[in-house]
Amino acid sequence: MSTIDFEAIFEAKLANNEFIEPKDWMPENYRKHLIRQVSQHAHSEIVGMLPEGNWISRAPSLRAKLVLLAKVQDEGGHGLYLYTAAESLGVSRDEMLEALHTGKAKYSSIFNYPTLTWADIGAIGWLVDGAAIMNQVMLQRSSYGPYSRAMVRICKEESFHQRQGYEIMTRMAFGTPDQKEMAQDALNRWWYPSLMMFGPPDAESPNSENALKWRIKRESNDHLRQRFVDQTVVQAEYLNISIPDKNLKWNESKKGYDFSPPNWEEFKNVVKGNGICNKERLEARNKAHNEGAWVREAAAAYAKKQNQLSTAA
Amino acid sequence: MSMSDNQGPLWEVFVQKKSGQPYVHCGNVHAFDKEMALQNARDVYTRRNEGMSLWVVPSEAIVASSPEDIGSFFEPANDKIFRHPTFYQIPDGVGHM
Amino acid sequence: MNELVFKYLLRISDSGLILAQRISAWTGHGPFLEEDLALTNIALDLFGRSRSLLDYAGNLEGKGRSEDELAFFRNERHYYNHLICEQPNGDYAQTMLRQAFVDAFELLLYTELSKSKDQTLAAIAAKSVKEITYHKRHSFSWVKRFGNGTQESFTRLQNAFHELWPYTGDMFEPIEGETDLVKNGFVPDLQKIKTDWEKIIKDLLEECNIRLPENVYMHSGSAKALHTEHLGFILAEMQSLPRAYPEAKW
């Protein structure tokens, strides 16, 4: 068979809503795009453990501590599933980590914002996970089989993440004046970064076109962002705290809210590495990896010795 | 970074939901030895009561068919309808068979 | 008797709580992803167990103190956790060896506690035995890997051993009046557990080419709530929010 035939098979699969599996022929650009997207997604999960992990030691009740610990652990698990999905495309976890640690690979810039109060843990669950879930539900139908399967598992596990965040927000928003102030402040600080999570506006999104064509993504950035805003407004109203946007207004003709765009200059700066926590996050990842090197070496050496013993026996 | 600095070999993880049921592939872990592979599989894939039993297999031990094999491997089974019970006619009145 | 059981419950719940507080600092910072998840599972077990024990302790005390009040509103001189649990994480060899020492101890202790005359304690212990059996399998595997891995891992394990060994004796110090609990069949005799523990640890370390030293001076004090300076910082961090906003509900 010639390459052209392979390409036709690939296109036919996409057209029939079938999945592409690791051993199937795929265009090199498709593979590259996926490796970039899936590994970035994995990095985001792993780096995303850090801002929330910041509060594990200070969680204000034992129940809250258990929930937060389980949630941060889930994020590690999700990073693991996603790295595996990327590995099936022929890149090793080592290579991906190397790209993360040297700053070559990107991760979601939301995790470069600091968690300053306990309400931030609520806001992250409510808004950041809320936005992530919206994206991930779509990705369950992504055309690459291993990515799609990882997303199915992740969505199932993440269903508690947003709820626990909203529960924290509820307790804060209906708590003491101090708590209510923290809740409002957290919404103020996390609102626009959450809107940024869906990526640049469609008109300026360089990778979107191919991603949609290949069904790696299935909905546009702006479309998802709109849905997120529409869903979140009523949740903020219930909490009796206000979304920090004077232009937020119901638009009957589009059956959705009009809202102010986030500051895309800030977004570009954070992506470039100028967020308040970029340096710290990368340092934390590098430190864990470097300090873990001797542990991994010891485990590899031990396994080798065990193998030698069992072959000698 | 030294050559030996890696994440360990990849393993395939299979979970049995409860006894009597088949083992189903659920994902992968990295691990350096068998015991670690088993423990990692437990710690990653059974945190929500997903199973009662686990298999771990080195990924390099998996032999997989290729997409090119679909025609020759699987399509010949399409016309062997005599392998299915509905192919046969059983008279009424002889009970369940 | 209730007062005595209350104090005993604090001793075992505090040990789990402080150790969990220590090891959960690894979450997000583990040597590789799978191990990060594995250690977090252990922290979750320990926090969960401490909740059950503190909840029961609060009921027994009868002053209406909840698990959180007991965890977040007692100071250093009212915490009874073993000294070894509050020792720093150090490197992964130190974390795993500390874990192995505690796991071996807890498996023996909770196995006995699961036969306690106190039904509630026995039930909590029975559940815990299953968890600890796995913790021990995990930590023992790692200690063996370090002992027989590379020269570096062996050296690190040896250093961890010298660091931690003097704190192990403290696990076998009874609280005041514990003999009465032993007599009534509520809790096991720590001296008996000590003999078994030493044998298990000796076997483990022999596999790692580490010989147990003799006549090492053992620190003690936690049975009287006397601690190393580490505990103050652990509590300051852990208790900061509830203490800053005592009116708040979380």
Side-chain angles (χ1 to χ4, degrees):
Chain A
M1 254 194 264
S2 69
T3 311
I4 295 162
D5 290 328
F6 279 121
E7 192 151 11
I9 294 168
F10 174 81
E11 297 290 346
K13 278 193 173 163
L14 287 187
N16 290 331
N17 271 338
E18 285 174 39
F19 291 102
I20 310 299
E21 292 294 338
K23 286 188 132 194
D24 289 344
W25 183 91
M26 60 188 85
E28 208 38 43
N29 283 341
Y30 175 85
R31 182 189 300 275
K32 275 197 192 134
H33 184 105
L34 267 172
I35 289 177
R36 201 191 66 242
Q37 182 174 331
V38 180
S39 63
Q40 273 182 20
H41 197 159
H43 297 328
S44 299
E45 297 281 353
I46 301 309
V47 177
M49 296 171 84
L50 298 171
E52 288 174 284
N54 182 33
W55 280 88
I56 290 171
S57 65
R58 292 176 291 166
S61 73
L62 293 179
R63 177 182 183 269
K65 201 187 276 285
L66 280 172
V67 171
L68 180 58
L69 204 49
K71 178 175 188 282
V72 175
Q73 184 195 42
D74 269 352
E75 282 151 16
H78 299 165
L80 195 158
Y81 307 155
L82 288 163
Y83 280 130
T84 303
E87 282 171 272
S88 71
L89 292 156
V91 57
S92 73
R93 197 199 274 180
D94 256 350
E95 290 171 279
M96 289 184 275
L97 290 178
E98 171 83 12
L100 172 67
H101 296 149
T102 53
K104 231 176 78 191
K106 301 290 175 215
Y107 55 87
S108 183
S109 55
I110 190 111
F111 301 118
N112 292 317
Y113 291 86
T115 49
L116 300 178
T117 74
W118 175 250
D120 290 25
I121 300 305
I124 288 182
W126 172 35
L127 301 172
V128 177
D129 287 280
I133 289 166
M134 205 151 263
N135 205 21
Q136 290 173 170
V137 164
M138 162 193 80
L139 292 170
Q140 290 183 95
R141 296 175 292 131
S142 173
S143 63
Y144 186 57
Y147 192 29
S148 154
R149 288 193 285 276
M151 289 325 303
V152 169
R153 193 174 181 100
I154 288 170
C155 285
K156 216 157 84 187
E157 295 189 352
E158 281 209 350
S159 53
F160 94 82
H161 291 188
Q162 194 185 12
R163 295 172 75 124
Q164 67 83 33
Y166 196 68
E167 187 189 87
I168 292 175
M169 290 308 285
T170 312
R171 291 187 185 190
M172 301 293 278
F174 297 115
T176 64
D178 280 332
Q179 285 177 301
K180 192 175 163 73
E181 188 188 320
M182 285 187 240
Q184 179 65 59
D185 174 56
L187 175 57
N188 292 349
R189 283 182 289 110
W190 291 95
W191 173 253
Y192 287 107
S194 300
L195 295 186
M196 294 176 193
M197 281 180 72
F198 298 97
D202 294 346
E204 300 158 30
S205 179
N207 301 314
S208 275
E209 200 184 324
N210 276 340
L212 288 168
K213 184 183 89 186
W214 287 324
R215 293 198 301 102
I216 294 171
K217 272 176 73 162
R218 313 208 44 162
E219 288 179 73
S220 78
N221 296 353
D222 286 337
H223 192 203
L224 288 167
R225 189 165 17 243
Q226 179 71 50
R227 180 134 32 97
F228 173 76
V229 172
D230 293 344
Q231 162 188 301
T232 308
V233 170
V234 55
Q235 295 164 354
E237 279 168 0
Y238 174 82
L239 295 173
N240 202 20
I241 52 179
S242 22
I243 289 172
D245 180 1
K246 289 198 185 74
N247 300 319
L248 187 80
K249 209 175 80 213
W250 179 254
N251 180 336
E252 185 58 30
S253 66
K254 74 171 185 188
K255 299 274 178 217
Y257 285 90
D258 290 331
F259 56 93
S260 308
N263 180 345
W264 291 114
E265 270 315 299
E266 176 182 318
F267 177 76
K268 280 177 205 152
N269 260 304
V270 178
V271 171
K272 255 189 250 163
N274 295 325
I276 195 151
C277 293
N278 288 62
K279 189 163 164 281
E280 203 178 327
R281 301 293 184 238
L282 267 194
E283 275 171 7
R285 285 313 317 154
N286 272 292
K287 184 168 182 280
H289 183 75
N290 294 338
E291 289 180 1
W294 73 267
V295 176
R296 299 188 299 273
E297 275 163 24
Y302 179 77
K304 204 172 156 195
K305 286 180 198 170
Q306 294 296 104
N307 281 342
Q308 281 163 356
L309 281 178
S310 65
T311 30
Chain B
M1 202 192 291
S2 68
M3 287 301 286
S4 60
D5 186 9
N6 60 51
Q7 301 284 313
L10 205 57
W11 302 68
E12 305 291 329
V13 181
F14 300 82
V15 175
Q16 186 188 39
K17 204 166 173 345
K18 36 184 191 191
S19 84
Q21 294 193 352
Y23 286 74
V24 178
H25 185 255
C26 67
N28 299 77
V29 290
H30 284 264
F32 292 88
D33 57 55
K34 292 177 190 173
E35 171 67 16
M36 194 192 290
L38 201 56
Q39 289 185 19
N40 288 351
R42 179 261 188 196
D43 282 315
V44 174
Y45 290 106
T46 66
R47 289 175 292 138
R48 287 174 168 81
N49 292 95
E50 289 95 335
M52 298 294 287
S53 178
L54 280 171
W55 285 348
V56 287
V57 181
S59 296
E60 61 173 28
I62 298 282
V63 183
S65 64
S66 296
E68 298 91 286
D69 297 331
I70 289 177
S72 62
F73 265 48
F74 308 113
E75 282 173 18
N78 288 350
D79 63 356
K80 311 292 192 296
I81 48 175
F82 43 82
R83 288 199 175 107
H84 300 277
T86 46
F87 180 73
Y88 303 94
Q89 284 190 348
I90 298 297
D92 292 340
V94 299
H96 180 73
M97 192 176 283
Chain C
M1 187 58 81
N2 272 7
E3 214 174 300
L4 200 51
V5 178
F6 172 71
K7 203 165 152 192
Y8 187 89
L9 288 170
L10 290 185
R11 181 140 175 84
I12 59 177
S13 61
D14 291 349
S15 292
L17 179 59
I18 297 302
L19 184 60
Q21 180 76 6
R22 275 293 193 212
I23 62 179
S24 60
W26 279 106
T27 299
H29 306 273
F32 58 99
L33 209 37
E34 283 80 358
E35 184 55 24
D36 203 306
L37 270 72
L39 194 62
T40 304
N41 272 340
I42 295 170
L44 284 165
D45 284 345
L46 293 176
F47 278 128
R49 185 182 79 201
S50 291
R51 276 186 86 187
S52 309
L53 290 168
L54 285 175
D55 181 58
Y56 179 42
N59 284 336
L60 216 55
E61 188 196 32
K63 291 182 186 165
R65 285 205 278 180
S66 67
E67 57 181 52
D68 284 336
E69 280 167 280
L70 286 169
F72 294 98
F73 291 94
R74 277 183 298 139
N75 68 21
E76 297 86 315
R77 295 288 287 113
H78 293 96
Y79 256 80
Y80 291 93
N81 63 279
H82 299 132
L83 297 179
I84 195 166
C85 299
E86 69 202 38
Q87 296 313 302
N89 284 340
D91 60 17
Y92 217 65
Q94 188 160 324
T95 292
M96 277 302 122
L97 187 64
R98 182 185 61 194
Q99 197 65 37
F101 285 156
V102 174
D103 291 342
F105 169 76
E106 287 192 338
L107 187 55
L108 295 164
L109 178 70
Y110 281 79
T111 303
E112 290 304 312
L113 287 175
S114 68
K115 302 170 209 156
S116 170
K117 287 254 171 66
D118 182 315
Q119 302 283 306
T120 311
L121 178 56
I124 297 171
K127 179 174 177 277
S128 304
V129 165
K130 294 177 195 160
E131 296 171 350
I132 301 164
T133 303
Y134 186 76
H135 302 170
K136 178 172 169 255
R137 180 167 170 172
H138 179 259
S139 61
F140 272 46
S141 306
W142 273 109
V143 169
K144 285 179 207 169
R145 285 185 196 110
F146 291 152
N148 301 286
T150 58
Q151 183 56 46
E152 179 176 5
S153 70
F154 174 75
T155 308
R156 284 174 183 271
L157 183 68
Q158 208 168 29
N159 291 343
F161 175 78
H162 291 304
E163 195 65 38
L164 293 170
W165 185 248
Y167 296 101
T168 55
D170 176 69
M171 290 190 287
F172 305 98
E173 293 287 322
I175 54 169
E176 204 186 327
E178 191 165 319
T179 41
D180 289 345
L181 292 176
V182 176
K183 260 187 244 155
N184 290 324
F186 276 48
V187 308
D189 181 358
L190 286 173
Q191 280 313 305
K192 243 197 83 210
I193 286 184
K194 190 179 180 191
T195 316
D196 293 341
W197 182 85
E198 279 172 347
K199 165 100 180 54
I200 292 166
I201 293 301
K202 188 167 165 272
D203 289 348
L204 171 68
L205 292 176
E206 258 171 22
E207 277 192 66
C208 302
N209 298 311
I210 292 178
R211 266 217 328 242
L212 292 194
E214 280 170 30
N215 301 322
V216 172
Y217 182 80
M218 287 289 175
H219 300 294
S220 66
S222 68
K224 295 191 177 70
L226 291 165
H227 291 277
T228 61
E229 288 180 346
H230 299 300
L231 183 65
F233 290 95
I234 297 175
L235 294 183
E237 191 173 351
M238 183 176 90
Q239 299 177 334
S240 58
L241 263 187
R243 288 197 183 234
Y245 305 97
E247 304 300 315
K249 295 209 167 32
W250 311 94

